[in-house]
Amino acid sequence: MPTILLGMGNPLLDISAEVPQEVLDKYELKLDSAILAEEKHLPLYKELVDAYKVQYIAGGATQNAIRVAQWMSQTPGSTSFFGCIGKDDFGAELQNCAKADGVNAFYKEDPETPTGTCAVLVKDGERSLCANLAAANKFTADHLASVKAKEMIAEAKMFYIASFFLTVSVESLLVVADHAVEHNKIFAMNLSAPFLIQFFAEPMAQALPYTDYVFGNESEATAYGEMQGWGTDIPTIALRLAAAPKKSGTRPRVVVFTQGSEATVVAKEGKVEKFPVEMLEKDKLVDTNGAGDAFVGGFLSVLMRKEGAAMEECVRAGHWASRVIIQRSGCTFPKECDYK
């Protein structure tokens, strides 16, 4: 099966555990947020493994979205992924997960640096993410110059990169984005986290003009609106971002902002649509880790089948995928996909 969707990002092994509030307070972590680990956070990983019941789950925002898109496409090998891992047990675990999920992962391997990990602290169904990128941070554009990577890029019809990758290799992102524009392919990104909007504004400003699709949640949307001086009204921010300058004129930019259980906002060609989210009983919620990634995976799986698919169809698939993920621990899914 030829690859349709290619992702590039930070492959991380999630170390997920339910924790009391004291652990969040001790490491100054907030629920519903994602940060990069600083020196003070490094003992957290060992503490989780030693003191709590942990689960190891293949993670990293882009890789999650690709895994879900692959699952929903129900055709092995229709997605692929680039990222950097270490030559260690956690790296082998990620290789195995990708293979089991049917994703064609072509990892750069760094023998000097351990595979990246992400502490996922779950409390009352909400999550806080603290990522120690380690080897994921070692990805470089030379990996894309290899014969295999060039073939994979040439074969893909669409690309997805979360903004977390802006902290790693903007050069690599631009190689893929330039290819997409030159060959009239779809290029999609995610705003990913408020800290990226605030502290990586310059690389984000370099990348966004390439986008045909931009995803984000309500906190990222408002952070972006404030940063641009557009205020905090989400439909307004979506419209303005959709109308911002674009490298390729072939298709209008679509901006998609999820808002948890509130309606998803989609802006395109000067119009805003809102798509309500089906309510989930509180007792069915396990954790929200990966919900946004799953939404993107579901949404893109529809575009993989049909580029001009109706937004209603794409959003419905995104909502469905998120609903599956939040009823399970981490970004995991049943073996069979029964989406109709």
Side-chain angles (χ1 to χ4, degrees):
M1 172 71 196
T3 291
I4 299 168
L5 171 64
L6 189 152
M8 182 166 64
N10 303 335
L12 304 172
L13 194 68
D14 283 354
I15 303 174
S16 180
E18 292 205 20
V19 298
Q21 186 62 42
E22 300 84 88
V23 178
L24 292 155
D25 295 342
K26 178 179 175 182
Y27 290 101
E28 297 171 28
L29 296 169
K30 293 189 185 73
L31 287 171
D32 201 28
S33 78
I35 64 159
L36 293 179
E38 296 169 38
E39 199 69 37
K40 67 182 178 189
H41 299 116
L42 296 181
L44 166 63
Y45 302 90
K46 187 170 181 342
E47 181 175 331
L48 283 184
V49 174
D50 291 349
Y52 298 93
K53 185 170 180 282
V54 300
Q55 275 185 296
Y56 295 104
I57 304 163
T62 303
Q63 187 164 251
N64 283 345
I66 297 297
R67 288 171 54 237
V68 172
Q70 175 59 56
W71 175 63
M72 287 189 67
S73 77
Q74 299 175 47
T75 314
S78 54
T79 62
S80 52
F81 179 77
F82 296 149
C84 186
I85 58 176
K87 283 198 164 187
D88 52 19
D89 290 349
F90 283 175
E93 181 74 23
L94 285 181
Q95 301 254 31
N96 293 338
C97 284
K99 202 170 186 175
D101 291 336
V103 176
N104 177 19
F106 178 40
Y107 295 116
K108 177 183 168 87
E109 290 182 78
D110 185 310
E112 310 292 310
T113 319
T115 296
T117 47
C118 182
V120 180
L121 310 185
V122 179
K123 182 180 182 290
D124 303 331
E126 296 287 309
R127 56 79 173 142
S128 178
L129 306 178
C130 182
N132 180 16
L133 294 184
N137 209 19
K138 302 287 186 175
F139 192 92
T140 49
D142 61 346
H143 189 67
L144 303 180
S146 67
V147 173
K148 184 173 178 180
K150 280 181 170 171
E151 284 172 358
M152 289 167 75
I153 291 167
E155 191 178 78
K157 304 280 184 287
M158 49 200 286
F159 303 93
Y160 173 67
I161 302 177
S163 287
F164 290 116
F165 195 66
L166 293 172
T167 72
V168 174
S169 179
V170 178
E171 185 190 353
S172 301
L173 182 147
L174 294 177
V175 168
V176 172
D178 278 326
H179 171 89
V181 167
E182 194 182 330
H183 297 275
N184 192 21
K185 297 177 178 183
I186 292 174
F187 186 74
M189 278 186 71
N190 200 312
L191 297 177
S192 297
F195 85 87
L196 293 161
I197 293 158
Q198 290 150 357
F199 304 114
F200 292 86
E202 201 177 309
M204 193 174 278
Q206 266 183 290
L208 284 175
Y210 289 92
T211 54
D212 298 301
Y213 289 84
V214 178
F215 298 93
N217 65 22
E218 70 276 37
S219 57
E220 293 144 19
T222 49
Y224 193 79
E226 285 169 343
M227 193 77 177
Q228 298 296 325
W230 297 344
T232 56
D233 178 61
I234 288 177
T236 304
I237 297 162
L239 278 172
R240 295 200 60 172
L241 179 51
K246 197 167 178 296
K247 292 270 185 194
S248 141
T250 30
R251 42 179 93 75
R253 180 181 294 119
V254 178
V255 175
V256 185
F257 289 143
T258 56
Q259 307 185 83
S261 58
E262 299 295 309
T264 293
V265 172
V266 178
K268 178 186 180 182
E269 296 184 288
K271 292 191 186 70
V272 168
E273 286 184 276
K274 291 185 179 180
F275 298 93
V277 175
E278 194 187 334
M279 289 307 288
L280 180 73
E281 296 84 357
K282 187 94 177 98
D283 62 340
K284 287 188 175 170
L285 174 70
V286 175
D287 78 55
T288 54
N289 181 30
D293 304 329
F295 174 85
V296 173
F299 188 105
L300 294 178
S301 74
V302 175
L303 289 183
M304 284 166 69
R305 285 196 295 278
K306 187 169 71 186
E307 189 193 316
M311 281 304 104
E312 188 179 357
E313 217 182 312
C314 297
V315 172
R316 188 170 78 91
H319 286 168
W320 185 87
S322 290
R323 194 181 169 85
V324 170
I325 297 297
I326 64 176
Q327 295 180 69
R328 300 168 66 90
S329 185
C331 194
T332 62
F333 32 80
K335 191 156 177 53
E336 298 302 320
C337 174
D338 57 6
Y339 181 69
K340 301 286 182 283

